[in-house]
Amino acid sequence: MRVCVIGTGYVGLVTGVCLAHIGHQVVCVDNNEEKVKLMQSGQSPIYEPGLSELMTEAIREEKISFTTDLEAGVQHGEILFIAVGTPPLPTGESDTRYVEAVARGIGEHLTDGYKVIVNKSTVPIGSGDWVRMIVLDGVAERQKTLVPSGGGTATEIAVDFDVVSNPEFLREGSAIFDTFNPDRIVLGSNGDRAIAMMKDLYAPIVSRQFSEDKSGPTVPVVVTDLNSAEMVKYASNAFLATKISFINEVANICDRVGADVTQVAQGIGLDSRIGSRFLQAGIGWGGSCFPKDVLALIHTASDYGYTTDLLNATVSVNKRQRMIALEKLQQMLKILKGKTVGLLGLTFKPDTDDMRDAPALDLIDNLHRLGTKVKAYDPLISQSGMRHGLSNVIVETDPELLADGCDALVLVTDWKQFKGLDYAKMAKSMQNPVMIDGRNFLDRAALQAAGFQYVGVGR
Ligand SMILES: NC(=O)C1=CN([C@@H]2O[C@H](COP(=O)(O)OP(=O)(O)OC[C@H]3O[C@@H](n4cnc5c(N)ncnc54)[C@H](O)[C@@H]3O)[C@@H](O)[C@H]2O)C=CC1
Ligand SMILES: O=C(O)[C@H]1O[C@H](OP(=O)(O)OP(=O)(O)OC[C@H]2O[C@@H](n3ccc(=O)[nH]c3=O)[C@H](O)[C@@H]2O)[C@H](O)[C@@H](O)[C@@H]1O
């Protein structure tokens, strides 16, 4: 099928490349010229495991192309994906101006023939109908520009389209795997024709042709109305964030009563009603989605006069949790002024270069506020030259240089490389070999044998 994906960030580029890989003809549109030039030269502007390889293959097979020309994209696609960002406004509300600009642009360029406009961006509930309205506004704008040469009124532009909400559930760092191995595909629309086209589009994924387990059961396709599909997205992220805040609260109680949250998580996770995933206690959740999506749902509820007691607690537990590493440093070092702390990891989770709302950024701010010198090492950020939000942080190029002279290390991101470091050598070069393991990721006994005082979260 002919597909256009508008917005080539973590979601749009992965979606475009994966759809090209399963055989569709994809045009990706982005209004960032620099990004488009980079992609046209075969390079991915973001790091995501496996993405570059699939992108190179799709370009070679002429299944994908990149452009800044929205009109060309709209003309090409039978299915048009909107995958631009919806960042939070200071009020917590989702900023939908990029979605609006794209929807209007689509309207200004819609041609004859039926099209499906798909909202893949995470958008406030009710956005499906709103996008339809904005697209029609775009069509009306174009209509105004049409003046027949002989005067009179121009023929009415005829457009035929449906809007579908197709929320995305991929995780950064495993986005390609998640796209080919989804737990479900959610399609919200008021039009049967649009749903049928979306089912055709995803058929190779639904039948597990590209899954790791090709003999697994077909992927469930959940068909809903527009509002419910949009709500599924927010409710999923809010539930997962709540699950993490829950285990973090349990971890804080464990710390006080002398239990080990990693053992507790194993004990409760084996109950199939609870499930073992997303029970990893630590320094709190971050990233570009959980924080903004939970706040956006709280904001939507408040528009209706509803107070979200549980979600408010999810957020406040996380706010406190983001201070946990600092509290533990204070317990171990007492005075932080004049001390040097090294951070192992900066990104909000491993296998991504994404620093949006990363817990490391809060920790850095608080350490600076208390007069501490901050050094850091991150497998991707150290090499990339990206220093946004990292002024006054000494970014080292290897973990041993990081440890040298530090009063404590904090493991901020659970990069798997951090399991195999030469901790004995690192401990020897430190002023004070303290390890705050913010992700309960390292082996306490091994660290102690290497000479560290080891402090986990809730254990
Ligand atoms: N990052 C993630 O893991 C996930 C994100 N989402 C949602 O997907 C949406 C996109 O998120 P990301 O990919 O992270 O965003 P991003 O910020 O990485 O990418 C957005 C892209 O849209 C482009 N763009 C902005 N305005 C444009 C316009 N008028 N025309 C063409 N391109 C335009 C930007 O240049 C950028 O390349 C958001 O709503 C997000 O909540 C959903 C699931 C996962
Ligand atoms: O809407 C989105 O953008 C995406 O948000 C999350 O994906 P992502 O933010 O990429 O990463 P996660 O693996 O969910 O981790 C989010 C945060 O929670 C933390 N986390 C995760 C799991 C856990 O057990 N404990 C924990 O503290 C991570 O360290 C990270 O800071 C969801 O998992 C995806 O399904 C969703 O599509």
Side-chain angles (χ1 to χ4, degrees):
M1 298 173 89
R2 283 175 288 108
V3 178
C4 168
V5 180
I6 305 153
T8 56
Y10 290 86
V11 167
L13 184 56
V14 168
T15 301
V17 166
C18 289
L19 289 175
H21 185 71
I22 66 173
H24 300 298
Q25 202 61 46
V26 180
V27 171
C28 289
V29 181
D30 204 290
N31 64 355
N32 181 328
E33 280 183 31
E34 229 173 276
K35 247 186 181 179
V36 170
K37 274 195 195 126
L38 199 66
M39 294 184 291
Q40 284 170 337
S41 75
Q43 295 174 66
S44 167
I46 54 162
Y47 176 76
E48 192 54 50
L51 179 60
S52 283
E53 294 80 349
L54 286 192
M55 191 173 153
T56 307
E57 179 196 290
I59 293 172
R60 195 180 52 236
E61 293 180 0
E62 298 184 354
K63 286 282 178 200
I64 200 165
S65 62
F66 303 94
T67 179
T68 52
D69 184 351
L70 180 62
E71 183 172 3
V74 171
Q75 279 177 4
H76 165 84
E78 305 159 73
I79 298 184
L80 313 172
F81 278 95
I82 303 177
V84 293
T86 46
L89 290 167
T91 53
E93 198 178 353
S94 171
D95 183 351
T96 52
R97 82 177 92 156
Y98 307 102
V99 175
E100 180 172 354
V102 171
R104 192 176 303 281
I106 291 175
E108 283 166 0
H109 300 301
L110 265 190
T111 45
D112 292 348
Y114 179 71
K115 307 249 183 197
V116 178
I117 300 173
V118 186
N119 247 337
K120 204 162 220 0
S121 298
T122 302
V123 283
I125 296 124
S127 294
D129 291 334
W130 171 75
V131 161
R132 181 172 189 86
M133 183 186 86
I134 302 294
V135 170
L136 290 174
D137 281 353
V139 175
E141 286 298 314
R142 183 157 50 114
Q143 182 76 52
K144 280 195 221 150
T145 65
L146 299 181
V147 183
S149 49
T153 25
T155 334
E156 189 108 350
I157 301 170
V159 292
D160 187 11
F161 69 95
D162 279 308
V163 177
V164 168
S165 164
N166 172 215
E168 179 54 64
F169 303 104
L170 64 77
R171 292 159 302 164
E172 290 181 24
S174 53
I176 303 280
F177 176 88
D178 291 346
T179 304
F180 291 136
N181 300 270
D183 289 336
R184 79 300 206 186
I185 289 172
V186 175
L187 300 174
S189 177
N190 304 326
D192 293 344
R193 187 173 174 193
I195 295 292
M197 278 174 71
M198 293 303 289
K199 283 184 173 170
D200 281 350
L201 180 83
Y202 284 126
I205 290 177
V206 170
S207 64
R208 299 236 177 249
Q209 234 173 294
F210 294 87
S211 287
E212 203 169 56
D213 176 10
K214 296 196 171 36
S215 60
T218 55
V219 175
V221 178
V222 182
V223 177
T224 69
D225 57 74
L226 274 168
N227 291 354
S228 303
E230 289 161 357
M231 189 60 164
V232 167
K233 176 62 197 173
Y234 282 105
S236 299
N237 274 0
F239 185 89
L240 292 169
T242 302
K243 195 171 178 187
I244 304 168
S245 279
F246 173 82
I247 199 67
N248 281 334
E249 184 130 285
V250 170
N252 296 339
I253 303 172
C254 283
D255 255 342
R256 284 160 177 81
V257 300
D260 181 338
V261 73
T262 59
Q263 295 175 29
V264 175
Q266 192 187 8
I268 62 176
L270 286 170
D271 183 328
S272 58
R273 292 170 301 175
I274 295 174
S276 57
R277 297 171 72 189
F278 277 68
L279 283 180
Q280 198 185 323
I283 54 173
W285 39 267
S288 68
C289 289
F290 282 176
K292 86 170 167 68
D293 291 349
V294 178
L295 288 181
L297 186 54
I298 291 173
H299 191 275
T300 297
S302 79
D303 280 346
Y304 292 81
Y306 182 77
T307 306
T308 50
D309 291 337
L310 181 60
L311 296 181
N312 294 353
T314 294
V315 171
S316 63
V317 167
N318 197 53
K319 232 181 226 160
R320 191 172 56 190
Q321 206 66 16
R322 302 264 291 242
M323 299 295 287
I324 278 282
L326 191 75
E327 284 169 22
K328 289 182 185 281
L329 283 168
Q330 285 177 322
Q331 277 161 20
M332 296 304 289
L333 304 180
K334 307 299 177 203
I335 305 293
L336 292 179
K337 199 177 179 110
K339 301 273 169 53
T340 303
V341 169
L343 309 186
L344 274 169
L346 286 165
T347 53
F348 84 97
K349 62 180 286 192
D351 293 317
T352 180
D353 55 0
D354 200 345
M355 287 293 299
R356 288 179 284 184
D357 210 346
L361 297 173
D362 275 355
L363 183 56
I364 290 166
D365 282 351
N366 282 311
L367 286 169
H368 280 151
R369 184 175 52 79
L370 293 173
T372 315
K373 184 167 164 183
V374 184
K375 304 207 289 174
Y377 167 76
D378 182 278
L380 269 182
I381 301 298
S382 290
Q383 319 304 334
S384 71
M386 273 172 59
R387 296 293 180 267
H388 184 66
L390 299 173
S391 53
N392 299 331
V393 176
I394 303 162
V395 181
E396 299 286 8
T397 49
D398 86 58
E400 288 171 18
L401 281 176
L402 172 74
D404 193 19
C406 278
D407 293 279
L409 293 178
V410 182
L411 186 136
V412 173
T413 316
D414 39 348
W415 284 95
K416 57 179 172 301
Q417 297 80 324
F418 293 163
K419 288 256 192 221
L421 302 180
D422 187 346
Y423 284 109
K425 192 168 171 199
M426 287 163 69
K428 281 200 192 85
S429 69
M430 291 174 67
Q431 291 287 340
N432 202 357
V434 168
M435 171 67 77
I436 311 291
D437 182 357
R439 298 286 176 187
N440 289 341
F441 184 64
L442 301 172
D443 179 339
R444 180 211 306 260
L447 265 282
Q448 285 170 340
F452 274 93
Q453 280 182 278
Y454 175 92
V455 182
V457 179
R459 62 198 298 221

